[in-house]
Amino acid sequence: MSATQAMSKLAIDGGTPAVRQPLPPMYPGGMRIGKEEEDAVLEVLRSKRLFRYYGPYEGPSKVAELEKAFAAHMGSEYGLAVTSGTGALICSLSGIGIGPGDEVIVPAYTWIASASAVFALGGVPIPAEIDDSLTLDAADVKRRITRHTRAIMPVHMRGAPTDMDALMDVAHEHNLQVVEDTAQADGASYHGRRLGSIGDVGAFSLQFNKIITSGEGGMVITNSRDIWKRAVMFHDVIGGTRNGIPEDEVLPGVNFRMTELQGAVALAQLHKLDGLLDQMRERKAMLKASMEGVAKRKGVTFRKENDPSGDAAVCLIFFLPEPERAHKVAEALTAEGAGAGVIYTPGHSDYHIYPYWSPIMAKRTWTPTSGPWRWHEGEVNYTPDMCPHTLGLLGRAVQMDVSPDLTNDQVEEVAEALNKVLEALA
Ligand SMILES: Cc1ncc(COP(=O)(O)O)c(C=O)c1O
């Protein structure tokens, strides 16, 4: 076999893999941890002031600085730092007054935490269909509204914006509040506005595999002083008193407070966010352009983009006409060293897809008499076929990470893998 024949022969059939070196791990901010984070953490350690509100010595708070900087970066007035993205969702939902029996519409494709956060407050998550953008379909949201519905939670999955115009129209029409789950899309935008700043309140994750990270951590942003006040009180058991909220208005809070160490890392990472986004966008654009010809010829379509320039570009997603071919293509790409997977494979448990949210699907609660079902008068039943369109789409969706650390050579090799595999198998 000649070298050219070996190159064009698929690696899955014994040919030479198009990608020669392992691709960089997909921890965009995590892989950029460097001197800035080290210095910031050391500064906190040396100050012996690990908690924002007190310590042996006076000094500025990294967490307070992060809250200001993060909110400003995202175009919102108020920011609140918390311990996780889930914590950010719970504080956001408390901020808008979600409680026992309230229905919140969530996409059928999202990390289970979006639904669990609603559940944790005694609310009822209602899964709704996604559209070709793999984010909430406003038309289906409308169909799922009942008299118990209080809020909608668009989730900007895999870095890409939901169609916020359509969704905000539905929310306004039905007097519903909007919590943006921006856990996977730090810094991305929709028609010039950063995600998280468009709805009533936005929640972010700084968990280790997110775009920027402090290991664990989360942020809440809002333009409403009222929502912010409520979220502050929920996240800190004495947050009301600390923030001068009159005692007769204070609500009982818990503890989702961020440490100064996390604050220091998150702040350093925030300064790297837009650079990371630029690099991922540039690489994704090159990959997409490289496969446009073969995609068109083979009937492969791309994920719909509600705002192409706002996409965080953490991944490339395309649809094959049917699941079998999607699996073949993903396996062949993986054999080429290009790392690909089909988002939904029936029978493979994945907490990103509603039929696998087993505790919620089974309405399992901490005690037999607790949870939403004690208060919810309506009859809500979760069934594996309640969002068939979502499963249909995800079952033929192939996804590939786009690391900001891909070299030009690696982009070319992945492009070669895409062309080779789609040409042969799509
Ligand atoms: C869409 C979505 N929402 C919420 C969360 C929860 O964030 P965290 O893991 O920081 O609690 C995640 C993170 O995994 C997520 O991907």
Side-chain angles (χ1 to χ4, degrees):
M1 189 178 7
S2 72
T4 346
Q5 275 171 324
M7 283 306 296
S8 57
K9 188 172 177 184
L10 295 182
I12 204 165
D13 297 329
T16 308
V19 180
R20 284 143 191 94
Q21 298 293 327
L23 298 179
M26 190 58 188
Y27 299 99
M31 294 299 287
R32 298 293 171 89
I33 289 173
K35 184 149 174 41
E36 300 77 9
E37 288 79 358
E38 284 171 21
D39 287 350
V41 166
L42 278 177
E43 189 189 325
V44 171
L45 287 175
R46 286 176 181 145
S47 75
K48 298 194 167 45
R49 205 189 137 98
L50 269 57
F51 179 50
R52 70 185 292 183
Y53 293 117
Y54 52 74
Y57 313 112
E58 289 293 307
S61 158
K62 294 281 185 196
V63 176
E65 194 184 339
L66 170 70
E67 287 175 343
K68 259 195 162 158
F70 196 94
H73 200 86
M74 302 304 169
S76 276
E77 208 166 329
Y78 303 99
L80 174 69
V82 294
T83 46
S84 68
T86 309
L89 283 171
I90 293 175
C91 292
S92 298
L93 290 162
S94 305
I96 60 165
I98 295 301
D102 291 342
E103 291 180 11
V104 178
I105 298 177
V106 301
Y109 171 47
T110 179
W111 181 240
I112 188 174
S114 316
S116 297
V118 177
F119 216 63
L121 292 169
V124 179
I126 304 289
E129 298 274 24
I130 54 168
D131 62 21
D132 287 11
S133 69
L134 305 190
T135 61
L136 211 42
D137 174 1
D140 193 61
V141 166
K142 213 167 163 171
R143 287 191 281 274
R144 299 198 192 232
I145 292 171
T146 72
R147 67 193 172 91
H148 299 291
T149 311
R150 297 283 174 274
I152 310 172
M153 186 189 291
V155 184
H156 309 296
M157 279 303 273
R158 303 292 273 134
T162 306
D163 183 351
M164 289 303 289
D165 284 345
L167 206 83
M168 293 307 286
D169 283 351
V170 174
H172 290 143
E173 199 183 315
H174 294 269
N175 201 21
L176 302 173
Q177 290 185 286
V178 174
V179 177
E180 286 181 76
D181 180 340
T182 315
Q184 299 194 6
D186 303 336
S189 58
Y190 176 78
H191 300 327
R193 295 171 75 188
R194 299 264 193 180
L195 300 180
S197 71
I198 303 168
D200 296 278
V201 58
F204 297 77
S205 169
L206 299 170
Q207 205 270 329
F208 194 57
N209 64 4
K210 300 303 186 292
I211 299 175
I212 54 170
T213 185
S214 49
E216 292 270 21
M219 296 298 303
V220 176
I221 59 168
T222 180
N223 282 318
S224 156
R225 186 165 173 79
D226 236 41
I227 294 174
W228 174 80
K229 263 171 40 180
R230 291 175 61 99
V232 163
M233 286 191 280
F234 197 89
H235 109 291
D236 178 6
V237 70
I238 56 166
T241 316
R242 273 194 233 283
N243 286 279
I245 296 166
E247 203 52 43
D248 58 358
E249 287 177 31
V250 170
L251 294 166
V254 284
N255 177 0
F256 285 107
R257 295 178 308 227
M258 182 184 267
T259 74
E260 285 290 287
L261 290 168
Q262 286 170 300
V265 176
L267 196 53
Q269 288 265 300
L270 180 64
H271 297 312
K272 301 181 179 180
L273 175 58
D274 286 348
L276 288 165
L277 294 174
D278 285 347
Q279 288 162 356
M280 291 188 288
R281 285 168 177 159
E282 187 191 359
R283 284 155 181 75
K284 179 170 174 177
M286 289 196 276
L287 287 174
K288 217 175 151 186
S290 79
M291 64 182 280
E292 243 148 15
V294 67
K296 207 167 182 179
R297 267 185 288 113
K298 297 284 186 169
V300 172
T301 54
F302 291 101
R303 174 188 194 179
K304 186 179 105 188
E305 295 180 299
N306 291 317
D307 179 358
S309 61
D311 178 15
V314 294
C315 66
L316 178 65
I317 298 179
F318 49 89
F319 302 104
L320 273 292
E322 75 272 337
E324 294 71 25
R325 256 194 282 179
H327 279 96
K328 273 194 182 147
V329 164
E331 277 163 31
L333 283 167
T334 302
E336 297 294 338
V342 177
I343 299 182
Y344 166 61
T345 306
H348 286 226
S349 178
D350 180 349
Y351 267 12
H352 288 96
I353 309 167
Y354 77 95
Y356 299 115
W357 301 344
S358 54
I360 288 168
M361 295 299 284
K363 298 187 184 174
R364 271 199 298 277
T365 53
W366 287 97
T367 67
T369 51
S370 75
W373 317 115
R374 184 164 169 186
W375 298 282
H376 193 271
E377 312 153 29
E379 191 51 39
V380 172
N381 283 312
Y382 297 107
T383 58
D385 60 355
M386 67 193 299
C387 294
H389 186 69
T390 295
L391 299 182
L393 278 170
L394 298 179
R396 52 190 186 82
V398 174
Q399 62 174 343
M400 301 168 76
D401 290 335
V402 178
S403 161
D405 296 321
L406 285 171
T407 63
N408 276 345
D409 284 351
Q410 285 173 320
V411 171
E412 275 175 28
E413 289 169 8
V414 174
E416 185 187 320
L418 279 162
N419 277 275
K420 190 175 160 185
V421 168
L422 291 179
E423 203 61 72
L425 297 179

